[in-house]
Amino acid sequence: RQSCPRASLTDIAAMAVRPHVLFRHPGAGADFGALAMSALDAPEGPRQMLGVTCQRVSYASGHGFCLHVERGVFNVYTAVVLDETPKAGTSIKLEGLPSRTRTSPDGRIGAVTVFVIGDDYAADFSTRTTLTDLGSGDQIGELEQFSTWRDGARIRSSDFNFWGVTFARDGNTFYAALRTAGKTYLVRGELALRRLTVLRENVECPSLSPDNR
């Protein structure tokens, strides 16, 4: 089918103040992967197309991430910051294939995980997970740069891989998966301390319910 034109800023703003869902358009054709909005009270009604395509998208409290691929001889991967409109803003270059993204409930922090080629850690795969301040676009740090603790002792290894970030509502706590030495662990992160604590084995891709229980 024909591509849907980008909606006007007026139409986007009008829908943004109503209960709505923000999503990747799944239909075949020119709009595949396009970022779109639809009103929750009229899901079969008009969709507002936002003029950007995403491999992954996350959004909360007026901020979010759209992970975008510019295809060519060498693909270029970026994380596009979305504002309260939501409109595409700052573009951050990614060093690998986009895998996951999550935005904290307060909209302050965004997490991006990419698959990285060229890291020789004798592991099955290599990921890089980065936290970003969505207000400024500044990088807070990669999870591999945080200190990791297990049973009261700090642990370190060159084969650490983190992914699957989910944020609690307190603006400081988050959870993620860690894989090292062939095993996967659930870790709890403390943003203010840049600290990760191993909680249990055999857990990956955690997700908190809206009430955090």
Side-chain angles (χ1 to χ4, degrees):
R1 65 183 181 82
Q2 291 184 336
S3 174
C4 293
R6 186 187 190 281
S8 69
L9 292 179
T10 300
D11 289 341
I12 293 173
M15 186 172 284
V17 299
R18 300 167 58 189
H20 64 276
V21 60
L22 187 69
F23 62 98
R24 291 179 71 244
H25 185 72
D31 293 321
F32 177 74
L35 191 59
M37 295 172 64
S38 183
L40 287 180
D41 59 2
E44 301 304 321
R47 294 178 173 180
Q48 306 295 353
M49 312 301 286
L50 304 190
V52 62
T53 59
C54 303
Q55 297 295 302
R56 303 285 188 273
V57 63
S58 64
Y59 192 81
S61 300
H63 289 92
F65 262 142
C66 163
L67 306 190
H68 176 72
V69 177
E70 190 71 34
R71 300 194 182 280
V73 176
F74 299 101
N75 291 342
V76 177
Y77 307 113
T78 55
V80 180
V81 178
L82 303 173
D83 66 12
E84 68 278 359
T85 309
K87 181 172 86 262
T90 303
S91 181
I92 302 168
K93 185 177 180 181
L94 300 177
E95 300 302 325
L97 179 67
S99 171
R100 301 174 186 274
T101 181
R102 187 66 63 92
T103 300
S104 62
D106 58 13
R108 291 192 311 110
I109 309 297
V112 173
T113 298
V114 299
F115 286 110
V116 182
I117 298 173
D119 287 344
D120 185 12
Y121 294 151
D124 295 335
F125 58 88
S126 182
T127 62
R128 190 168 297 163
T129 296
T130 305
L131 302 185
T132 299
D133 184 319
L134 291 175
S136 65
D138 294 334
Q139 187 180 110
I140 295 170
E142 297 176 13
L143 292 193
E144 290 185 25
Q145 298 169 341
F146 286 34
S147 64
T148 302
W149 298 75
R150 184 181 184 189
D151 299 328
R154 184 171 181 177
I155 59 174
R156 299 177 175 88
S157 179
S158 62
D159 75 342
F160 276 3
N161 281 300
F162 294 97
W163 71 92
V165 171
T166 185
F167 293 96
R169 302 192 68 86
D170 62 11
N172 180 60
T173 307
F174 63 93
Y175 297 86
L178 161 65
R179 185 169 178 82
T180 181
K183 296 182 178 180
T184 304
Y185 302 93
L186 174 69
V187 298
R188 181 183 63 241
E190 298 169 84
L191 191 61
L193 298 177
R194 297 173 63 89
R195 175 187 175 113
L196 302 165
T197 301
V198 174
L199 299 182
R200 64 183 67 179
E201 191 177 340
N202 294 328
V203 176
E204 64 176 282
C205 300
S207 182
L208 279 169
S209 59
D211 63 5
N212 277 204
R213 296 176 63 190

